[in-house]
Amino acid sequence: MTSGLRVERFKMSDPTFDTSSPATGDAGLPKVSIYMPTRNRLGSMQAAVRSVLGQTYREIELIVVDDGSTDGTPAWLAEQARLDPRLVVHRHEEGRGACAARNVGIRAATGFFLTGLDDDDEFKPHHLASLVSYWQLLTGAGDDPSALYVQDELRSGGPVAYTHKIGRATAEMMLNANQVGNQLFAPRDRFLSAGLFDEAMPAWQDLEFFYRFLKMHGPARLLDLPSYVFDVTPRPDRISSKSKRKVMQACELMYAKHGGDQRHTLQRLLLEQVFSDYYGFRPDLADLRRFIGLGWWPRGWWRMARRWRAGGA
């Protein structure tokens, strides 16, 4: 295996792990459930499904939630589920949105561990085996991370690039940037206790959920391996939104839910997230005035003013 880690019969200090439970696979290893929402992306979805069913770690359950597809997705998924019982399909006759589909998949999962996959991304063959092995290594050494995350291989049709995520992610760090990416790997019960994805968020669904997750369960740890293939090709059908209106709405909701009494929280969200290089938005004069009016923060004012000037305002 590429990571150099070996999966043995699973051992955990957690007394709730029962090797005779449905969360355990036939080999006595913990079952990993993967949830994946999809809608009208037959080609990329097929590659995503195959990347999961082809994992070197075999004790898996892939839950695909078809959110009202009108292309060949339903027929193809039905045939694949007939061929491989590890694939479980749920279908919405009408689209309810990606977050609703994710939540259906999470609730339906029966594995001990849980993680997600977007329908235009892929797992490298060793992705799940490496995560289970690393979790086993950490817990065996007395460490108890809330979750794990990995580096991403970024594909856009040009040269392949890689992320450089930090080794430890906390809830506080998520206010400056999404340090995790778009997937966590953790025991399923932690996803449930964190409250699932907020279906009312117009954007930042991952960011908001991961913030709640890390706030409740503590820091997550990085497995420094680029085993998740993240498609960043610009396309109009992306789930992630780069509409300034939606991102600003998400920022306001994030602050309303989690701002509390933390100083400069809304200013940090605006400066580090909304007007970051990721979105490419530049503040206009109204944005700058509002930012200054939110509170005394000379350093933040100066940085926001620089971004305003860079936009040619």
Side-chain angles (χ1 to χ4, degrees):
M1 187 168 61
T2 304
S3 67
L5 297 174
R6 183 163 60 95
V7 180
E8 299 177 348
R9 184 169 292 274
F10 196 73
K11 298 178 182 179
M12 283 192 64
S13 58
D14 184 353
T16 63
F17 183 74
D18 179 3
T19 57
S20 64
S21 77
T24 308
D26 294 338
L29 296 170
K31 184 193 298 182
V32 179
S33 295
I34 304 96
Y35 61 89
M36 187 176 80
T38 191
R39 178 179 170 86
N40 290 337
R41 286 180 175 171
L42 179 60
S44 61
M45 181 272 296
Q46 290 172 330
V49 167
R50 289 174 179 137
S51 79
V52 176
L53 299 181
Q55 288 291 294
T56 59
Y57 190 84
R58 307 300 294 171
E59 305 297 338
I60 64 171
E61 168 190 60
L62 172 59
I63 303 167
V64 178
V65 182
D66 178 7
D67 194 37
S69 292
T70 56
D71 59 3
T73 293
W76 189 85
L77 285 173
E79 175 62 14
Q80 296 306 305
R82 184 185 68 81
L83 296 173
D84 193 330
R86 297 176 303 164
L87 173 60
V88 179
V89 180
H90 292 258
R91 175 169 168 78
H92 298 158
E93 291 303 321
E94 296 183 358
R96 293 168 49 190
C99 282
R102 291 185 185 112
N103 289 340
V104 167
I106 292 170
R107 292 189 184 100
T110 62
F112 181 81
F113 288 117
L114 182 67
T115 191
L117 176 64
D118 289 346
D119 64 356
D120 53 354
D121 297 336
E122 298 175 29
F123 289 165
K124 292 287 190 69
H126 57 272
H127 177 69
L128 295 177
S130 300
L131 284 164
V132 173
S133 295
Y134 193 49
W135 188 278
Q136 181 180 14
L137 181 68
L138 291 175
T139 56
D143 197 352
D144 184 25
S146 68
L148 299 177
Y149 57 103
V150 300
Q151 301 287 8
D152 300 326
E153 178 180 299
L154 306 176
R155 294 184 184 175
S156 61
V160 173
Y162 299 92
T163 56
H164 298 88
K165 300 175 187 177
I166 59 177
R168 181 174 177 270
T170 67
E172 180 70 13
M173 292 174 181
M174 299 294 280
L175 297 177
N176 292 331
N178 184 347
Q179 305 289 348
V180 168
N182 62 348
Q183 307 297 344
L184 284 174
F185 173 92
R188 173 179 173 268
D189 60 0
R190 296 184 184 179
F191 281 79
L192 295 172
S193 61
L196 303 183
F197 289 89
D198 185 345
E199 298 173 22
M201 292 291 290
W204 291 8
Q205 296 94 341
D206 294 339
L207 175 69
E208 193 276 332
F209 174 67
F210 295 161
Y211 177 88
R212 276 188 283 120
F213 186 104
L214 299 177
K215 190 78 171 177
M216 174 174 287
H217 298 298
R221 290 280 296 273
L222 171 71
L223 170 57
D224 196 7
L225 189 72
S227 59
Y228 188 98
V229 180
F230 190 3
D231 182 4
V232 294
T233 307
R235 289 204 315 269
D237 64 340
R238 286 210 171 278
I239 293 174
S240 57
S241 171
K242 288 198 175 183
S243 157
K244 182 179 178 181
R245 179 181 61 83
K246 288 186 177 181
V247 171
M248 289 293 284
Q249 288 175 347
C251 179
E252 296 285 356
L253 283 172
M254 183 82 175
Y255 177 69
K257 293 181 69 172
H258 307 299
D261 297 324
Q262 298 180 58
R263 192 179 182 193
H264 306 314
T265 297
L266 183 53
Q267 288 169 308
R268 287 172 61 192
L269 287 170
L270 288 166
L271 182 63
E272 305 293 352
Q273 305 263 19
V274 175
F275 297 110
S276 66
D277 291 338
Y278 174 76
Y279 291 110
F281 304 144
R282 289 294 176 264
D284 57 26
L285 186 57
D287 294 323
L288 180 61
R289 286 172 173 166
R290 181 182 181 227
F291 186 88
I292 293 172
L294 288 172
W296 177 261
W297 191 22
R299 182 180 179 185
W301 294 351
W302 178 76
R303 292 175 62 195
M304 181 64 92
R306 287 186 62 189
R307 295 187 185 184
W308 170 65
R309 287 196 299 268

